[in-house]
Amino acid sequence: ITLGHKNMHEFLHSPFIRKQGNIYKPNNKDMDNESLNEKTMEDVHTKEIDLVNRDPRHVNDDVVKVDFEDVIAEPPGTYSFDGVWKASFTTFTVTKYWCYRLLTALVGIPLALVWGIFFAILSFIHIWAVVPCIKSYLIEIHCVSRVYSICVHTFCDPLFEAMGKCFSNVRIRTTKEI
């Protein structure tokens, strides 16, 4: 079963199946070509968020994809009762689903605030401290590199050229004694 170009299997455990492109945006209006041309700069504060694909960059692909079959498995010959297996599957799946939802409801918004502050501080430090320090260092090191280059060319080049001329006629021959 396909839904647009996405497989329906990705959304089997979600109680709500939304169509691709059901996007939340305050005062969402369909934009025609004229209004798209008028909008020259995208405002990041009213950025559209996709309620279907919540991990578009696949950040958590390898981390939190844990299903019942990944945790509990019975090898052939040691099966429990079918009813117990079904009840275990349902209990695991529903508990995981609702615990995650409860935790995100209680802790998600405060953590989003903390991470927002953290990345704002990180961006501020990078923009206003790190990049200017690096640029200043590169400007200052450029002058030092010129002086260093002049010193190397003035003192080391003649020395190594003279040594090269002295040792240019030296031949080394190896012989193997039997």
Side-chain angles (χ1 to χ4, degrees):
I1 301 171
T2 59
L3 182 61
H5 67 284
K6 290 283 196 180
N7 285 337
M8 186 76 151
H9 301 290
E10 293 178 30
F11 310 110
L12 282 181
H13 297 294
S14 176
F16 303 107
I17 305 297
R18 295 185 178 102
K19 292 182 180 178
Q20 181 72 22
N22 184 359
I23 294 178
Y24 171 76
K25 180 179 176 185
N27 302 321
N28 194 9
K29 297 177 184 176
D30 289 334
M31 301 179 99
D32 56 356
N33 288 338
E34 293 173 9
S35 61
L36 281 175
N37 292 336
E38 292 173 6
K39 186 175 182 178
T40 58
M41 184 179 289
E42 180 180 334
D43 184 10
V44 294
H45 304 296
T46 59
K47 181 180 176 183
E48 296 180 2
I49 55 174
D50 192 345
L51 295 176
V52 176
N53 184 10
R54 297 186 183 190
D55 190 7
R57 294 189 177 108
H58 307 287
V59 175
N60 293 312
D61 275 356
D62 299 329
V63 181
V64 291
K65 277 189 171 179
V66 179
D67 291 326
F68 180 76
E69 296 84 9
D70 298 325
V71 178
I72 301 171
E74 293 181 331
T78 55
Y79 289 162
S80 61
F81 295 112
D82 290 345
V84 171
W85 186 253
K86 288 178 184 178
S88 298
F89 172 79
T90 304
T91 303
F92 177 89
T93 306
V94 170
T95 303
K96 183 182 126 188
Y97 177 77
W98 283 107
C99 282
Y100 177 79
R101 289 197 125 193
L102 181 66
L103 285 170
T104 55
L106 295 174
V107 186
I109 293 176
L111 279 177
L113 177 69
V114 168
W115 286 116
I117 292 170
F118 174 77
F119 283 108
I121 292 170
L122 190 65
S123 297
F124 175 81
I125 290 171
H126 184 76
I127 292 167
W128 293 99
V130 174
V131 172
C133 284
I134 291 172
K135 290 291 185 183
S136 172
Y137 171 77
L138 291 174
I139 291 169
E140 292 163 7
I141 202 69
H142 184 69
C143 296
V144 173
S145 72
R146 282 193 158 177
V147 170
Y148 178 77
S149 175
I150 290 171
C151 290
V152 167
H153 289 302
T154 303
F155 300 110
C156 295
D157 283 356
L159 175 68
F160 290 125
E161 281 182 36
M163 289 175 58
K165 287 181 181 179
C166 288
F167 293 116
S168 66
N169 291 326
V170 175
R171 304 279 183 242
I172 298 175
R173 185 185 307 178
T174 59
T175 58
K176 189 173 183 181
E177 291 184 27
I178 301 176

